Amino acid sequence: EVQLVESGGGLVKPGGSLRLSCAASGFTFRSYDMNWVRQAPGKGLEWVSSIGKTGSYTFYADSVKGRFTISRDNAKNSLYLQMNSLRAEDTAVYYCARGSVGATTVVDYWGQGTLVTVSS
Amino acid sequence: QSVLTQPPSASGTPGQRVTISCSGSSSNIGVNTVNWFQQIPGTAPKALIYSNNQRPSGVPDRFAGSKSGTSASLAISGLQSEDEADYYCAAWDDSLNGRWVFGGGTKLTVL
């Protein structure tokens, strides 16, 4: 069974940092691109970042470029999101999602999400 | 303001067929495939449709996706109470060095 379990969320002050993790199981992690998508309270889904199977390419939404860094450790079946210079508008549930994005986007599994709250 | 445009709400009675639209542009739906996701409030999104009209295993054939030009649609036939949820369309957008864009979501109410 495919499982994606996020962790690392919590309350952080504006300007602070947080590192999210996503533990993958039930599939060959190194064979899939991975993504982070967030959802602010009461709002819709917003793509944050994507990373290729080997980490050789990454994409970022303009809203997080230069502040967030996506990475992965295929030996540990884990995906990460390092979030720096956090702002109030980064408050959201962060989901990791399996699958490739691009011309033929196929994203098929999502984790349960981890809540990040940026507030003083 | 979402890049893809969906109606904010839709409704139907049990057994009915409802359609949710998703309007984009030549840089996203016009050239790339469309995905649809279902999100029951308080839970994570679930994949419903990929590659415009393909269903992941386990998704009932009551759900059907289609695409024409720069627009896409999700049709739900034989509406059931458990279909009450938020539905999002998504597609890759070739502008701005590439980005994945979503619709604003459509809240489906089963009356």
Side-chain angles (χ1 to χ4, degrees):
Chain A
E1 178 195 4
V2 172
Q3 282 200 319
L4 298 169
V5 180
E6 301 93 336
S7 61
L11 175 63
V12 61
K13 289 181 169 52
S17 298
L18 215 52
R19 188 196 197 206
L20 304 184
S21 299
C22 172
S25 62
F27 66 100
T28 305
F29 181 70
R30 63 180 181 273
S31 296
Y32 289 85
D33 299 345
M34 295 295 295
N35 313 276
W36 288 101
V37 177
R38 67 184 181 185
Q39 186 170 37
K43 302 295 185 183
L45 300 173
E46 179 191 15
W47 171 71
V48 174
S49 184
S50 301
I51 187 167
K53 301 176 186 59
T54 63
S56 59
Y57 61 84
T58 57
F59 295 97
Y60 296 93
D62 283 350
S63 57
V64 306
K65 199 173 294 182
R67 300 188 299 123
F68 290 12
T69 302
I70 190 172
S71 63
R72 65 190 295 162
D73 186 335
N74 287 344
K76 294 183 177 179
N77 293 336
S78 294
L79 174 72
Y80 306 102
L81 186 68
Q82 177 66 44
M83 305 186 295
N84 299 330
S85 303
L86 282 162
R87 307 166 180 165
E89 53 265 37
D90 295 318
T91 294
V93 174
Y94 285 72
Y95 297 100
C96 70
R98 183 184 88 163
S100 62
V101 291
T104 56
T105 296
V106 180
V107 173
D108 55 3
Y109 285 94
W110 297 65
Q112 85 292 344
T114 187
L115 175 63
V116 172
T117 303
V118 184
S119 174
S120 55
Chain B
Q1 191 92 355
S2 301
V3 175
L4 304 182
T5 301
Q6 297 180 237
S9 63
S11 63
T13 57
Q16 264 191 333
R17 181 179 187 272
V18 297
T19 301
I20 297 171
S21 63
C22 175
S23 177
S25 69
S26 58
S27 64
N28 43 66
I29 293 178
V31 291
N32 298 317
T33 61
V34 177
N35 290 245
W36 289 91
F37 302 99
Q38 176 194 60
Q39 186 179 35
I40 293 168
T43 70
K46 170 190 169 185
L48 272 186
I49 297 287
Y50 65 93
S51 297
N52 303 326
N53 55 18
Q54 302 299 301
R55 289 183 306 277
S57 61
V59 174
D61 58 7
R62 301 188 297 105
F63 295 88
S66 62
K67 184 182 105 167
S68 178
T70 59
S71 294
S73 293
L74 174 70
I76 309 171
S77 57
L79 199 61
Q80 300 179 2
S81 58
E82 57 260 40
D83 297 334
E84 187 161 292
D86 296 319
Y87 292 84
Y88 295 89
C89 59
W92 189 253
D93 189 291
D94 290 342
S95 64
L96 300 178
N97 297 314
R99 54 178 179 161
W100 194 24
V101 293
F102 285 87
T106 297
K107 182 174 180 57
L108 175 64
T109 301
V110 181
L111 302 169

